[in-house]
């Protein structure tokens, strides 16, 4: 028997108190889950934003290398016409290359030349051409021309490929060259290279450890095969499994032997070690010339001349230096020779970094250092213009009809369900609709802002209709009654009285819809706005791309410099979205009335 | 004399379930209750009457600290239950509300079965340890709330399927099942028809045998019918607090007189 | 061209508007009160009927002309090349049009030149015919409106009727869009099914997806159009996304609606809104640049082999994208649970946690379920994240560390790939149709549940 009155005594009991503590703990737990959830969402947002902004910083500056360009009128304008068109016909690519060869005369051989040409952008010649065409009086002078550096040079100077670390040294250096002047033998009077040698030996140890690990895996494989073989009845299969097992055991032994040999080398105090492709780069600088070491011992080694005339006899410590680049040459885009040349140019003050205005004014390009977002921004503008001029009037009129005129019947219900469903249809399906109907059937030009704008308008329409209906519904009926009571028709009431009052809400919804459309990518890819378009679109029927699609395209390119540009394009996109949403919030705060 | 007064005070303490001393309630800067002193007797029905917005519901919600759930609500003064300050730091409102049950203006059964509605309190407070005891508590509570006959065949149906009056009695059963000592009722009949109201009123009278009941009501007739003590609230103050018959027949305060004679409401 | 013609017709309509207004003033003869409708309405009426009739004629002639020209040119080509396939004839036609418009064509021969000349003629006829007919019809209707200007003419009622029709037409555009989607998808889907010999079962249950590798003579190999790996990939990524989004979104909503102080809410809500406003392409970039390498490194450090385009990376980022969606919808439904239920529970001495778990959540459950369903529908249809961060090979696996592909990725690959559009469109539109059907079913069910739920507590 339980008496209710007895139960009430249990409220203050010790059991109830301990139970209460447990209940309170459960509450704290639930609260903690909530805080954790919010924090995770915040963490995601912060990581996302910091990734994007952190990456985008690199795109804010670009690098110029100033080189003296002799503009020979005999070559460029042999007839002496002074006509820009004539001047423009000259081979400026060759001129840029000649200037580079002049700057680094000792660089010879095809591949070395290619590396040399690679430090400036392929676009430098066009800028030079334009400069000369714009001012033919430059002909006959030697002009210091800032040339756009290539993306690789630019990223190196921004430290994206790791940095050169100068090493301590105290000895006098002697360098002797072989007959071709390409291989140098290096000898220092002090054990200056001990550090570098230690690094190389560490690497050997690492390699040995890796091989041991491989050997262990092989060994395990051998055991598995042997066990399988033991369980086999068929002698044929058994033999083949045993053979497998033995092969693996042998491989394991070979790897172990190799590892042992490496360890011996790693642990030996002295000796001369080769710098393999996976080793750090060791660059030696003497007499303004650069050597890449290929073998190193504690006090010297052998090197390959990258640039210049490095032979030296007892050069004092102040006359030479050497640096170490941790990333092996094969693991970065910039070669050791290019590093040497860029460092020389930098030392001579010919390198400068300036704010990247090009990024905000140029169209797309295959070369990251030449690529800009202006084309995509203009494309976005035209597309949004089309979207707005279709979606806004249609959306508002549809909302007015549904709220003020539509009879409450099954068809209206159907329209309403339809609108709600359209709001949740995947955007890519709208792209397919655009592809089949507007491109295929109505013949709207492919890749054009017109096509994109129509598709986005259809996508945005439900958002605008839903927001507009809510805004219209919020206008109190008393206002309608007042207008109708004065003899206004229902249409006049709607347009003269209800619509102006609902406008802030409608505009807010429209801006939010437009912001969605501005960030939309998939449907535009479907209708071909993903094409490579260099020109800035001048109208709604030109081929164009838009900001988010530009982001998508760039993110697909392998060049590392595009990563920064992708991130910068995202920043621009986000900036536009923030501005639009800020306007929406402002409208809502400033004008929205509550009845 | 002194002895007598002390004895009298002790006796009063025994009879007084709840004592409110100089209670003020603020919503932000707005003072909703302006210094209320009321003693609530055990095993008695006390009615709070007064015009709308006079603070009677607010004061009622102070008695089980329901105002704690409202942002920006601040309370000063003292409310003692069995001599202990219910606003003391050591008091957990959750525990307090188990002892001071509440029934609301609009019936608010949970969207669960009738059984689960009633079993909710005993379950969360761990009042019973096995299913059989729980069944018994549910049945007793439903019986006390005079709804057993209507509900016994549909215990597993949702409580929201009952009629308004039944729902309110279910809510009373739900409150009883938690085994409270005080039952607060915030205009429990205002959403009900006259027949349901009569049933609830009968129930309230019946409940007096085990609980101290505090009822906020709009209807003076109701207060007269069910209560033994009545407090008249006006603009956040208690104008008059006395035995119900006295308030209705011979009020001391002219404002009370005006209210019960219908000068304003 | 057509745009200019349209502007000319509208200009004509404006002229009729001015004329009708003047005439109305004339008829009223200084006493405007005699007129049933104010002169402005007579003008409006004239404008509306002239513009509507004129531009409708323009449109019909333009589109009809387009179809007629195509048919005429195709029959000309068919006469010249009786043995050629339809696709080859179409190529000739598009070359000829390119020639006529002065663009580069793939080939240039006598037939193409002849067709180009014919195209130029017909195109000229079409444009001038459209403009001429449009102007004639606009003048006739405008003239009619001018003649009908009189004291008793109910120009206001008439023009309002027309405007109302226009409003209704705008509302119907949503329906037309749906119809357009269904028709365009169904058309290609049926032709695709025809190409695989109506082996729909092979499409729905086959496990090998490589539709473009088995194309021969317009037919496709039914054994290579099995979409199960795509469905499985979509399913896998969706599951991962929901595993991330549902708990985080739901707990966030619970915290924000019942625990958070005003200040926390003022910070957290806009934060979630920002998360919701980030374009999906940005999430895709985030997934590809940050999350996928991170998961790969983490996996490697504990000895797991993780694909660089793992389903996990795409799924997690998609989950982050859906968090605000789930949390705001859940927040709505949790807030819609009446305070009286909460009060009832608190009044019985329940803690907040108990109230939420045992009263609020069960009451809000239908709404939360539909929020989750809508979230699933978004995840299934999401494109950019998976295009940028998920794999492209049809790989049938449920291992989240491997690369899988999804329906949307395949649509994008097919449409943007190098294969000829008419071949790739079949499987792409069929996948699109499948996607549309799945999301439509989810949406309808979820929206209906939400609606019922709203009505319950309204």
């Amino acid at each position: 028997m339980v008496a209710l009155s007895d139960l009430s005594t249990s409220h203050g009991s010790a059991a109830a108190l301990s139970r209460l503590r447990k209940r309170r703990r459960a509450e704290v737990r639930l609260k903690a889950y909530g805080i954790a959830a919010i924090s995770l969402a915040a963490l995601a947002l912060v990581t996302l934003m910091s990734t994007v902004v952190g990456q985008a910083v690199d795109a804010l500056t670009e690098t110029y290398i100033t080189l003296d360009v002799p503009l020979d009128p005999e070559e460029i304008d042999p007839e002496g016409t002074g006509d820009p068109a004539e001047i423009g016909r000259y081979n400026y690519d060759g001129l840029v290359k000649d200037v580079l060869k002049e700057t680094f005369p000792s660089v010879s051989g095809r591949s070395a030349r290619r590396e040399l040409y690679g430090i400036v952008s392929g676009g430098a010649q066009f800028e030079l051409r334009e400069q000369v065409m714009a001012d033919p009086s430059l002909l006959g002078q030697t002009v210091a021309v800032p040339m756009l550096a290539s993306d690789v040079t630019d990223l190196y100077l921004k430290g994206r490929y790791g940095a050169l670390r100068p090493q301590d040294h105290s000895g006098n250096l002697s360098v002797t060259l072989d007959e071709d002047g390409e291989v140098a033998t290096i000898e220092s009077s002090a054990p200056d290279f001990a550090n570098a040698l230690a690094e190389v030996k560490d690497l050997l140890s690492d390699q040995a450890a890796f091989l041991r690990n491989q050997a262990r895996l092989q060994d395990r494989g051998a055991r598995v095969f042997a066990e399988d073989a033991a369980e086999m009845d068929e002698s044929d299969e058994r033999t083949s499994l045993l053979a497998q097992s033995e092969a693996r055991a042998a491989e394991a032994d070979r790897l172990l032997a190799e590892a042992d040999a490496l360890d011996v080398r790693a642990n030996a105090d002295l000796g001369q070690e080769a710098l393999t492709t996976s080793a750090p780069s060791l660059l030696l600088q003497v007499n303004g010339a650069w050597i890449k070491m290929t073998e190193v011992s504690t006090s010297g080694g052998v090197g390959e001349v990258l640039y210049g005339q490095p032979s030296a006899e007892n050069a004092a410590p102040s006359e030479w230096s050497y640096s170490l680049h941790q990333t092996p040459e094969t693991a970065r885009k910039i070669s050791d020779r290019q590093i040497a040349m860029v460092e020389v140019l930098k030392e001579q003050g010919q390198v400068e970094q300036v704010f990247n205005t090009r990024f905000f004014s140029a169209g797309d390009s295959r070369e990251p250092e030449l690529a800009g977002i202006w084309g995509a921004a203009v494309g976005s503008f035209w597309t949004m213009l089309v979207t707005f001029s279709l979606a806004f009037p249609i959306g508002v009129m549809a909302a007015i009809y549904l709220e003020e005129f539509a009879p409450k019947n099954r068809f209206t219900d159907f329209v309403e369900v339809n609108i709600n469903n359209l709001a949740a249809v995947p955007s890519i399906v709208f792209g397919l609709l655009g592809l089949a109907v507007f491109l295929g059937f109505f013949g709207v030009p492919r890749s054009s802002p017109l096509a994109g704008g129509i598709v986005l308008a259809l996508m945005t329409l439900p958002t605008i209709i839903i927001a507009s209906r809510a805004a219209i519904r919020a206008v109190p009926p008393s206002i309608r009654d007042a207008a109708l009571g004065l003899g206004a028709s229902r249409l006049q009431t709607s347009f003269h009285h209800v619509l102006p009052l609902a406008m802030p809400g409608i505009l807010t919804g429209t801006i939010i819809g437009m912001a969605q459309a501005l960030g939309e990518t998939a449907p535009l890819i479907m209708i071909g706005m993903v094409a490579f378009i260099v020109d800035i679109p001048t109208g709604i029927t030109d081929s164009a791309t838009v900001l988010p699609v530009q982001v998508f395209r760039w993110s697909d390119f392998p060049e590392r410099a595009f990563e920064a540009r992708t991130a910068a394009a995202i920043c621009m996109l986000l900036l536009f979205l923030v501005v639009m949403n800020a306007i929406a919030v402002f409208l809502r705060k400033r004008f929205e009335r509550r009845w | 004399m002194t002895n007598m007064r002390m004895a009298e005070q002790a006796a009063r303490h025994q009879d007084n379930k709840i004592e409110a001393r100089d209670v003020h309630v603020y919503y932000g800067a707005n003072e909703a209750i302006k210094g209320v002193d009321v003693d609530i007797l055990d095993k008695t029905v006390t009615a709070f009457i007064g015009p709308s917005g006079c603070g009677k519901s607010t004061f009622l919600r102070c008695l089980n600290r329901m105002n704690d759930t409202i942002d920006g609500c601040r309370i000063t003064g003292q409310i003692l239950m069995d001599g202990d300050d219910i606003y003391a730091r050591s008091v957990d409102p959750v525990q307090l509300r188990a002892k001071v049950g509440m029934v609301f203006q609009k019936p608010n059964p949970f969207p669960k079965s009738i059984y689960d509605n009633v079993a909710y309190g005993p379950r969360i407070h761990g009042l019973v340890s096995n299913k059989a005891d729980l069944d018994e508590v549910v049945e007793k509570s439903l019986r006390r709330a005079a709804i057993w006959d209507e509900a016994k065949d549909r215990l597993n149906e949702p409580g929201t399927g009952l009629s308004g009056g039944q729902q309110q009695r279910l809510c009373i059963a739900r409150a009883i099942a938690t085994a409270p000592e005080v039952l607060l009722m915030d205009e429990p009949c205002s959403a009900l028809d006259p027949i349901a109201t009569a049933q609830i009123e009968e129930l309230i009278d019946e409940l007096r045998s085990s609980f101290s009941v505090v009822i906020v009501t709009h209807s003076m007739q109701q207060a007269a019918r069910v209560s033994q003590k009545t407090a008249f609230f006006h603009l956040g103050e208690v104008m008059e607090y006395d035995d119900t018959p006295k308030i209705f027949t011979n009020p001391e305060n002219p404002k009370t007189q005006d209210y019960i004679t219908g000068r304003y409401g | 061209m057509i745009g200019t013609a349209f502007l000319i017709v509208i200009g004509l309509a404006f002229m009729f508007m001015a004329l009708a207004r003047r005439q109305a003033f004339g008829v009223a003869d200084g006493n405007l009160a005699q007129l049933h409708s104010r002169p402005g309405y007579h003008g409006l009426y004239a404008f509306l009927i002239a513009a509507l009739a004129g531009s409708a004629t323009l449109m019909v002639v333009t589109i009809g002309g387009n179809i007629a020209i195509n048919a005429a040119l195709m029959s000309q080509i068919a006469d010249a090349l009786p043995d050629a396939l339809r696709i080859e004839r179409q190529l000739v036609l598009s070359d000829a049009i390119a020639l006529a418009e002065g663009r580069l064509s793939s080939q240039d021969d006598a037939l193409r030149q002849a067709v180009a000349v014919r195209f130029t003629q017909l195109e000229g006829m079409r444009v001038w015919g459209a403009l001429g007919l449009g102007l004639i019809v606009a003048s006739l209707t405008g003239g009619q409106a001018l003649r009908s200007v009189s004291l008793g003419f109910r120009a206001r009622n008439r023009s309002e009727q027309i405007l109302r029709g226009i409003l209704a037409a705008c509302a119907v555009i949503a329906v037309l869009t749906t119809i357009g989607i269904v028709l365009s998808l169904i058309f290609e889907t049926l032709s695709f099914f025809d190409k695989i010999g109506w082996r729909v079962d092979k499409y729905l249950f086959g496990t090998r997806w490589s539709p473009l590798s088995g194309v021969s003579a317009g037919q496709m190999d039914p054994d290579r159009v099995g979409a199960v790996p795509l469905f499985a990939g979509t399913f896998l990524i969706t599951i991962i996304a929901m595993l991330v989004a549902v708990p985080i979104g739901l707990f966030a909503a619970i915290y924000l609606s019942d625990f958070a102080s005003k200040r926390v809410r003022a910070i957290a809500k806009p934060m979630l809104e920002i998360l919701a406003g980030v374009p999906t392409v940005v999430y895709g970039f985030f997934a590809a640049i940050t999350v996928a390498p991170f998961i790969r490194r983490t996996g490697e450090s504990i000895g797991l082999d993780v694909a660089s385009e793992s389903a996990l990376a795409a799924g997690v980022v998609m989950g982050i994208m859906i968090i605000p969606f789930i949390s705001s919808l859940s927040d709505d439904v949790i807030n819609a649970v009446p305070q009286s239920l909460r009060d009832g529970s608190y009044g019985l001495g329940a803690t907040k946690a108990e109230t939420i778990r045992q009263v609020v959540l069960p009451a809000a459950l239908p709404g939360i379920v539909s929020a989750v369903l809508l979230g699933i529908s978004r995840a299934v249809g999401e494109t950019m994240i998976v295009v940028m961060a998920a794999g492209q090979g049809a790989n049938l696996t449920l291992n989240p560390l491997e690369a899988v592909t999804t329906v949307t990725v395949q649509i994008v690959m097919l449409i943007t790939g190098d294969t000829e559009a008419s071949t790739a469109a079949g499987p792409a539109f069929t996948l699109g149709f499948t996607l549309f059907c799945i999301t439509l079913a989810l949406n309808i069910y979820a929206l209906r549940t939400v609606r019922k739920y709203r009505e319950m507590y309204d």
Side-chain angles (χ1 to χ4, degrees), chain A residues 1-5 7-13 16-17 19-20 23-24 27, chain B residues 92-95 98-99 123-127 133 136-137 140 176 178-179 181:
Chain A
M1 269 307 275
V2 198
L4 279 176
S5 50
L7 286 181
S8 65
T9 56
S10 74
H11 281 316
S13 69
L17 282 178
R19 201 184 144 75
L20 187 65
R23 290 166 62 196
R24 283 297 189 193
E27 179 163 86
Chain B
D92 190 327
V94 164
Q95 204 185 1
K99 287 197 272 188
R123 273 187 183 141
I124 58 172
H125 294 294
L127 295 184
D133 284 356
E136 209 183 316
V137 170
K140 280 194 169 153
I176 294 170
T178 316
E181 297 162 25

Side-chain angles (χ1 to χ4, degrees), chain A residues 551-572:
Chain A
V551 168
F552 168 61
R553 273 174 48 77
W554 281 352
S555 73
D556 223 22
F557 285 153
E559 284 91 352
R560 208 170 150 183
F562 268 122
E563 252 176 48
R565 279 161 177 79
T566 312
I570 288 177
C571 287
M572 287 303 290

Side-chain angles (χ1 to χ4, degrees), chain A residues 12 86 215 343 406:
Chain A
E86 186 60 35
E343 287 294 336

